[in-house]
């Protein structure tokens, strides 16, 4: 899945070790932030690069993931 642009809620929950409902909440918050910048968002999905930037401070995935 790492080659796809968007992460789905199950992938976010697994990556962060949180419940699916909490992952939905996090995605909703990030999508609201993206919408304020004029980006179009999709419910229950988040841009993979934006996610990693917000949680890890990088524009790419953490070392060892998706390689």
């Amino acid at each position: 899945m790492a080659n796809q642009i968007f992460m789905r809620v199950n992938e976010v929950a697994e990556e962060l070790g949180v419940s699916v409902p909490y992952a939905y909440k996090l995605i909703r918050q990030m999508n609201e932030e993206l919408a304020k910048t004029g980006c179009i968002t999709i419910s229950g999905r988040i841009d993979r690069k934006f996610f990693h930037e917000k949680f890890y401070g990088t524009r790419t995935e953490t070392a060892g993931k998706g390689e």
Side-chain angles (χ1 to χ4, degrees), residues 9-14 18-27:
V9 69
N10 290 332
E11 189 176 356
V12 171
E14 183 178 323
V18 298
S19 67
V20 170
Y22 189 68
Y24 271 117
K25 181 179 179 179
L26 293 172
I27 290 172

Side-chain angles (χ1 to χ4, degrees), residues 14-61:
E14 183 178 323
E15 176 107 11
L16 297 176
V18 298
S19 67
V20 170
Y22 189 68
Y24 271 117
K25 181 179 179 179
L26 293 172
I27 290 172
R28 194 175 312 113
Q29 290 173 352
M30 289 185 282
N31 278 340
E32 287 172 4
E33 185 175 336
L34 281 172
K36 288 179 184 176
T37 67
C39 293
I40 297 171
T41 61
I42 302 171
S43 295
R45 297 183 186 171
I46 189 67
D47 178 79
R48 186 175 301 279
K49 289 180 183 178
F50 184 75
F51 171 84
H52 283 95
E53 180 181 86
K54 292 299 285 185
F55 282 93
Y56 303 113
T58 63
R59 291 294 290 173
T60 59
E61 293 186 48

